[in-house]
Structure formats: structure tokens, C-alpha cells
Amino acid sequence: MQQALRSYFRKPTTIVGLVTALMFQLIFSVIWMTGYSGVTDNTRHLKIAIVNEDTGLGKKVAEQSAEYAPVSAGERNDAG
């Protein structure tokens, strides 16, 4: 078994495959983690839209959302 593993790890394709897998993990981790580095600092730039097409209960939900939301309600924008 040990001899088989040694011969397996001496093959160039095995080494290239392992190096590629490790580099992929490293690059992915760096890109992923740098994407989250300033999330809490940039949430003030986040724009959120709530589409409400319910004519009955929707008005009450919209009023309550505007009352309790930490931001002011924007203008209505009909896209078409």
C-alpha cells in the first residue's frame, strides 16, 4: 500500500492535480473573503425595493413597514 502511494505521488499528473486543487482553494478563499471585508460598512449604500401588488392587505403592510422601517419610504416608481 505504501509503495503504491509513493508511486502515485511521484507521477507529474498527480502533483499538478494537487497543486491545482490547492491553488484553486487559495484563490477562491482570497476572493470570497475580500468580498465580505466591507459588507457592514457598505450597507448604507444598499437599495431595497418592495413590490406590493396586494390591494387589500398590502396597504396596511406598507403603512406598518413605513412606520417601523429605519429609513424613509421612497417614491413610487411604476416600471410599466
Side-chain angles (χ1 to χ4, degrees):
M1 176 76 176
Q2 194 173 18
Q3 180 67 25
L5 285 175
R6 270 194 212 136
S7 65
Y8 179 71
F9 284 115
R10 287 185 183 170
K11 292 184 179 184
T13 53
T14 303
I15 296 170
V16 170
L18 288 173
V19 169
T20 302
L22 292 173
M23 291 302 294
F24 177 78
Q25 293 296 321
L26 179 68
I27 292 169
F28 182 77
S29 296
V30 167
I31 291 172
W32 186 270
M33 296 311 287
T34 55
Y36 284 107
S37 65
V39 169
T40 54
D41 298 332
N42 294 322
T43 53
R44 61 188 163 104
H45 300 295
L46 182 64
K47 300 204 185 286
I48 298 173
I50 299 174
V51 177
N52 182 5
E53 296 179 344
D54 185 2
T55 57
L57 185 62
K59 186 173 182 179
K60 183 177 181 181
V61 170
E63 290 171 357
Q64 288 178 350
S65 297
E67 181 181 339
Y68 293 111
V71 294
S72 62
E75 295 180 13
R76 182 178 179 173
N77 183 7
D78 291 328

